[in-house]
Amino acid sequence: MAIKQKGNRTKQPTGKISLGKKIGGFSQQIVVALVIFMALTWGYSFFEQKKATPTIPLSEFASLVLQKQITSISIEGDNVTAIKIDKTTVKSMKESNSSVLETLRSYGVSTSTLASTTVTVRSERGLSFWGSIIPIILPILFLAFMIWWLARGIKGANMQALSFGQSRAKIIYPDDTKERVTFKDVAGAKEAKEELAEIVEFLRNPKKFIDIGAQIPKGVLLMGAPGTGKTLLARAVAGEAGVPFFHLSGSEFEEMFVGVGASRVRDLFDMAKKSSPAIIFIDEIDAVGRARSTNIGGQGEGREQTLNQILVEMDGFEQSINLIVMAATNRPDVLDPALLRPGRFDRRVTLDLPDRSEREAILQVHVKVKPLAEDVNLKVIAERTPGFSGADLYSLMNEGAILAAREERKSVAQFDLIRSIEKVMLGPERKSHVLTPHEKKITAYHEAGHALVASCLPDADPVHKISIIARGHAGGYTLKLPLDERRLMSRATFLDDIAMSLGGYVAEKEIFGDITTGPSNDLQVATGMARKMVTKYGMSTLGPVALSDEIERNFFAQKEYSEMYGEKIDDEVKRIMEEALGRARKIIIDRRDVLVVIAEELMRVENIEREEFETILIAHGITPKRKEEVV
Ligand code: ADP
Ligand code: ZN
Ligand code: MG
């Protein structure tokens, strides 16, 4: 597999609570309730026991009375409880069918002696007020509590759907310092921040704009690849403006029942209007905002209603209501044009993948909370991560920290970060993936083929690592690093890239006389590139025509070219591929000696880093391409 460094689209967990987790929390709640109940019962009986006081014989009791030690006596059935002068309590038992006073008299206690003590007689079951009421109240209270608790849990999980419509927006209030983010937390994205600074100003000080008759925008659409920080930036706008942030994801509109979406939209807008100035943020709006004509078989009925409701609400509120609707998408091309009309999402902000210096700045943001070793050089990491998005860089830092922690180190070293680049890009190493010696040999020659072709073509990027350790889906990989941050690709680069992609295929064929399933991905990539050259960039003999491949995104859309063109495109793609194949084959055959050396070395060490690879090249008279130092 040949890999041009390009971040994969790892997504971070968004912190939303999934249903499974809710259910987990639910049984947890029952356990907590039970524990509380047991503690209460135990506490109660303990309390009761505490009340147990020494029981003394009646004769002794009588003598205490005679000594005037007793201030009051209370009689409950056969139990006699008395309080002594020193405020302690004693208990005694009388015979069932005689009165205490009579018994005391028979012990010689005179009526006059008794006159100084208070005697209370309580009913047979003479428990104290609380003593009698708690055993009844407690279970009732407990039951009520349980019911409330369970109801609360269920509501959080799926019963929510029953409370129709009720918006499920997550709200971040400006005083929530933990959740709040500002522009400082968003590195790079300078233009986007400038655009949005205006929105912040509108929210902070609408009067200034209204007075002068300026039109305050209602909707802002953030567009950009996944992980470029759209969600983050939207939150930062709210944070900067100090307004509540109502956040709902497009897919959350219709979770349970079709038709809930529209009323959720209504609730969301009502809620936000009440707390204006505010921001409503609809994340991944393409989930509801797809062009309505592309509905297949009425499937998107609910979605359509939701979309209509969004349009109605956006048209509905007055300028004087200080409310900004923000939305994010990575597929602006599929959005319904109605969403983009003036007065709706007419402000559009594009977020690009970060360039080298922006990547460094993003790493810097995420590094703040992590202890770094002295050898860490973020500039080098930024150089080695072209195509990484902000989210990829975030997980790179995180992987680095995990590696350091696993090896019981207190700080993150450069080495950890370097290793994490490949992990984020290709997935974890699959050490358990054991190759047979023959498979290992094939993989080694395959990767050596990519590397050799790349090194011999003038416009291919230099190789910076070759590996035959399986990672993610790749059995082995050859990493090449663009010489510079390219925004424009030339025709020559395309052609060399295609040839390089075919290097593995050719090497297998030349060395083993047979091919494996290994290069299937390479072929896909190469063909894709060739096709784009023809249909999109006008880089073929068909000339400067854009024959957009609508099929890619919309099954029902019409092809924008005739059958005649279709055939020509296929011919042209085939021609480009054949030509590239020929060039790759020539290199592999001419420099078979170098190919063998690289492959043998790979079988021995499994990973070849750039320096070592260049040494091999130089030893065989191939000048390695130098990457100009980035300043
Ligand atoms: P998107 O919504 O575009 O898919 P997110 O806003 O969810 O991307 O970004 C995911 C994470 O990536 C953020 O939480 C943040 O940690 C990190 N990130 C992305 N872009 C940036 C950036 N410009 N500066 C700092 N962190 C970023
Ligand atoms: Zn390959
Ligand atoms: Mg997002």
Side-chain angles (χ1 to χ4, degrees):
M1 181 178 262
I3 290 141
K4 168 169 248 153
Q5 287 215 351
K6 207 160 179 253
N8 67 342
R9 301 279 152 253
T10 36
K11 274 205 82 176
Q12 273 172 262
T14 46
K16 266 178 254 165
I17 300 160
S18 69
L19 201 66
K21 214 164 164 189
K22 269 277 171 184
I23 288 166
F26 188 68
S27 56
Q28 205 178 327
Q29 284 176 352
I30 294 180
V31 172
V32 171
L34 278 178
V35 167
I36 291 176
F37 180 62
M38 274 153 69
L40 279 176
T41 347
W42 178 76
Y44 181 68
S45 57
F46 181 73
F47 175 67
E48 282 283 72
Q49 258 172 28
K50 258 273 151 100
K51 281 198 333 197
T53 36
T55 310
I56 51 171
L58 215 52
S59 54
E60 205 176 303
F61 181 64
S63 70
L64 281 175
V65 178
L66 274 174
Q67 289 160 26
K68 301 236 165 143
Q69 291 275 342
I70 303 292
T71 54
S72 76
I73 302 170
S74 71
I75 302 153
E76 307 168 8
D78 290 344
N79 295 318
V80 182
T81 315
I83 296 170
K84 298 207 300 190
I85 290 179
D86 57 6
K87 295 267 158 57
T88 55
T89 326
V90 288
K91 257 190 179 165
S92 188
M93 294 283 280
K94 71 172 180 66
E95 296 152 49
S96 313
N97 43 11
S98 63
S99 101
V100 180
L101 298 185
E102 259 167 33
T103 320
L104 284 179
R105 255 181 232 122
S106 69
Y107 280 110
V109 180
S110 66
T111 324
S112 60
T113 322
L114 274 176
S116 59
T117 45
T118 351
V119 179
T120 357
V121 181
R122 292 221 187 126
S123 69
E124 190 73 25
R125 295 185 52 251
L127 286 164
S128 70
F129 173 72
W130 284 113
S132 57
I133 216 132
I134 284 179
I136 304 166
I137 293 275
L138 207 63
I140 294 177
L141 275 181
F142 175 71
L143 264 176
F145 174 72
M146 273 293 268
I147 289 170
W148 169 78
W149 194 306
L150 295 187
R152 209 188 57 156
I154 291 170
K155 206 166 152 197
N158 35 15
M159 293 284 274
Q160 182 87 28
L162 296 180
S163 58
F164 263 79
Q166 198 183 79
S167 161
R168 307 196 66 192
K170 290 179 274 306
I171 308 169
I172 301 175
Y173 291 102
D175 47 4
D176 186 346
T177 43
K178 230 179 83 199
E179 289 279 329
R180 187 182 157 186
V181 292
T182 60
F183 281 164
K184 272 215 290 304
D185 301 297
V186 188
K190 192 156 160 282
E191 288 90 1
K193 280 200 264 186
E194 264 162 28
E195 280 273 328
L196 293 170
E198 208 170 283
I199 305 288
V200 172
E201 194 56 37
F202 284 136
L203 285 165
R204 278 208 197 128
N205 199 351
K207 199 169 168 298
K208 187 167 94 185
F209 295 92
I210 291 173
D211 283 353
I212 208 167
Q215 184 85 20
I216 292 184
K218 276 183 181 173
V220 181
L221 182 64
L222 299 173
M223 310 185 293
T228 42
K230 300 180 292 294
T231 310
L232 186 71
L233 200 54
R235 280 174 55 186
V237 172
E240 286 286 329
V243 301
F245 182 70
F246 294 77
H247 175 174
L248 198 70
S249 182
S251 54
E252 281 170 310
F253 282 116
E254 310 277 342
E255 264 180 349
M256 284 285 187
F257 300 118
V258 171
V260 191
S263 60
R264 279 199 178 145
V265 172
R266 216 173 304 126
D267 285 346
L268 177 64
F269 274 81
D270 285 348
M271 232 157 67
K273 272 184 223 163
K274 273 187 213 126
S275 42
S276 84
I279 289 180
I280 290 180
F281 179 56
I282 306 172
D283 208 350
E284 280 144 44
I285 195 172
D286 45 290
V288 284
R290 272 170 195 269
R292 282 169 285 192
S293 56
T294 60
N295 273 347
I296 299 169
Q299 279 232 318
E301 194 116 329
R303 200 186 70 205
E304 197 162 302
Q305 284 169 17
T306 311
L307 174 59
N308 285 339
Q309 193 63 38
I310 293 177
L311 298 178
V312 168
E313 294 288 346
M314 284 193 77
D315 292 343
F317 67 84
E318 292 300 311
Q319 267 227 334
S320 52
I321 295 178
N322 200 356
L323 188 64
I324 303 269
V325 187
M326 295 183 80
T329 181
N330 48 19
R331 298 293 312 272
D333 52 328
V334 299
L335 286 188
D336 197 297
L339 275 171
L340 307 175
R341 230 166 269 157
R344 291 165 184 170
F345 292 103
D346 49 2
R347 287 275 171 133
R348 267 158 262 166
V349 176
T350 310
L351 284 165
D352 289 317
L353 285 174
D355 64 21
R356 197 193 54 76
S357 61
E358 285 172 328
R359 285 196 299 276
E360 194 179 335
I362 294 174
L363 287 168
Q364 211 82 50
V365 166
H366 293 300
V367 117
K368 278 190 192 128
V369 288
K370 296 182 179 71
L372 290 188
E374 278 190 4
D375 69 332
V376 168
N377 184 346
L378 293 180
K379 200 168 154 194
V380 171
I381 305 293
E383 266 170 34
R384 287 223 191 169
T385 47
F388 270 43
S389 69
D392 293 331
L393 293 169
Y394 170 85
S395 45
L396 183 146
M397 283 318 292
N398 200 39
E399 290 294 342
I402 290 172
L403 279 176
R406 265 210 212 148
E407 291 166 14
E408 315 282 342
R409 274 177 288 115
K410 288 271 174 286
S411 57
V412 184
Q414 181 79 348
F415 175 55
D416 298 319
L417 298 179
I418 300 259
R419 280 185 292 169
S420 306
I421 297 177
E422 277 155 54
K423 183 156 182 203
V424 171
M425 200 158 44
L426 300 165
E429 282 185 2
R430 286 186 300 154
K431 289 244 171 72
S432 61
H433 186 84
V434 185
L435 298 173
T436 64
H438 186 60
E439 280 172 338
K440 196 168 165 181
K441 193 170 174 187
I442 294 177
T443 312
Y445 273 95
H446 178 105
E447 298 306 331
H450 284 307
L452 179 62
V453 173
S455 308
C456 295
L457 291 173
D459 287 296
D461 298 318
V463 172
H464 94 117
K465 177 164 183 175
I466 321 169
S467 172
I468 54 167
I469 293 175
R471 236 179 219 287
H473 292 298
Y477 51 93
T478 302
L479 296 182
K480 42 184 203 150
L481 204 58
L483 279 172
D484 44 62
E485 201 82 32
R486 258 198 301 251
R487 294 257 181 253
L488 296 174
M489 290 271 284
S490 70
R491 190 181 120 90
T493 321
F494 264 122
L495 291 175
D496 282 4
D497 269 359
I498 294 172
M500 188 237 176
S501 297
L502 295 174
Y505 173 90
V506 174
E508 282 189 34
K509 206 167 163 193
E510 291 303 320
I511 300 292
F512 303 98
D514 193 9
I515 38 179
T516 62
T517 50
S520 74
N521 183 61
D522 292 336
L523 294 182
Q524 227 169 349
V525 171
T527 316
M529 273 193 280
R531 209 173 176 83
K532 269 198 187 140
M533 284 179 71
V534 179
T535 59
K536 205 167 167 187
Y537 303 121
M539 292 177 178
S540 71
T541 51
L542 291 190
V545 275
L547 307 155
S548 97
D549 249 336
E550 272 291 322
I551 302 177
E552 252 179 53
R553 58 172 205 234
N554 187 349
F555 188 68
F556 282 98
Q558 286 286 305
K559 278 191 208 165
E560 282 179 17
Y561 47 81
S562 64
E563 282 305 313
M564 180 205 73
Y565 255 134
E567 218 164 279
K568 275 197 181 164
I569 291 171
D570 291 343
D571 287 347
E572 195 56 22
V573 169
K574 189 150 187 294
R575 192 187 58 78
I576 293 176
M577 293 290 286
E578 296 272 310
E579 218 176 84
L581 192 75
R583 290 205 297 153
R585 179 177 291 125
K586 185 166 173 355
I587 293 168
I588 298 284
I589 293 173
D590 286 356
R591 303 312 315 252
R592 191 175 164 133
D593 54 330
V594 195
L595 182 78
V596 174
V597 172
I598 301 171
E600 294 291 329
E601 182 64 9
L602 260 181
M603 279 187 273
R604 202 169 62 80
V605 295
E606 300 197 335
N607 282 323
I608 299 183
E609 295 286 342
R610 180 167 180 181
E611 291 75 28
E612 200 193 336
F613 181 63
E614 288 183 350
T615 317
I616 298 176
L617 290 182
I618 293 168
H620 291 83
I622 301 171
T623 329
K625 268 169 281 193
R626 276 274 152 228
K627 180 167 154 52
E628 312 92 75
E629 277 307 309
V630 196
V631 240

